[in-house]
Amino acid sequence: LSEKYAIEPSLTPGSGAWDFSGAVAWSVWLNEGTSLTASVLYTRRTAAQNYKIGDSIEGGVSLQRRWGSRDEANFSLFTELTFRQFGSAVSFSETIANTGGTMLFLSPGVIFAWPTGLSVSGFCQLPLLRYMNEPQQYLEYRAGFSVAYIFRI
């Protein structure tokens, strides 16, 4: 297909570009079962095949309330305010106008955890603010589900 038709580089898997990320996070227990967490992540993206997706910075602040102790099965409710800023993509040294922008999300969710180190979580991200460069695909919401296991050494 790509031999016959030009395919948009952002739609092709495995561009060959390298991304470098750095992050910091901070968390504090406000009282027994209630925690406050803040984090920030920066991703520097490199170009490949004359195409570069914009760099990004993401940050968030969350409040979590846990019922039950860490020594027994427990569940938590949380809400997070997440900020995301994506730079514009560049193709052949030309900025692509309808890429990049800034979004602010409210993300409520739930976590079920067991003392064995296993946890299951789900969340929904609801956009509160959208400032996009040029018209882009409209994001109504995003949802996520994860299963995690903490290995203890």
Side-chain angles (χ1 to χ4, degrees):
L1 181 67
S2 63
E3 294 170 5
K4 193 173 183 180
Y5 302 101
I7 297 174
E8 174 67 33
S10 65
L11 300 176
T12 61
S15 68
W18 288 78
D19 296 345
F20 301 93
S21 295
V24 293
W26 172 81
S27 187
V28 63
W29 288 102
L30 300 176
N31 60 40
E32 181 59 36
T34 305
S35 65
L36 177 68
T37 302
S39 63
V40 65
L41 166 73
Y42 177 76
T43 302
R44 172 80 173 143
R45 295 187 168 87
T46 64
Q49 301 176 31
N50 293 310
Y51 190 83
K52 180 186 180 292
I53 296 174
D55 296 346
S56 66
I57 186 163
E58 303 177 41
V61 176
S62 70
L63 187 63
Q64 178 178 340
R65 175 69 175 122
R66 184 188 70 218
W67 286 271
S69 77
R70 289 178 284 191
D71 300 327
E72 62 187 17
N74 62 75
F75 81 99
S76 303
L77 295 177
F78 68 88
T79 189
E80 180 175 10
L81 196 58
T82 307
F83 166 84
R84 291 194 174 134
Q85 195 285 322
F86 296 97
S88 295
V90 177
S91 180
F92 291 96
S93 302
E94 189 173 316
T95 300
I96 301 172
N98 69 336
T99 60
T102 302
M103 295 188 80
L104 183 68
F105 295 93
L106 178 66
S107 308
V110 62
I111 302 170
F112 296 94
W114 292 268
T116 60
L118 179 67
S119 66
V120 176
S121 64
F123 67 91
C124 180
Q125 285 190 328
L126 308 168
L128 298 178
L129 169 84
R130 294 179 188 92
Y131 178 75
M132 309 308 285
N133 302 334
E134 301 277 333
Q136 295 183 30
Q137 183 177 0
Y138 182 78
L139 178 64
E140 198 169 320
Y141 70 91
R142 293 191 327 180
F145 174 79
S146 69
V147 177
Y149 183 78
I150 298 172
F151 294 93
R152 291 176 177 39
I153 299 176

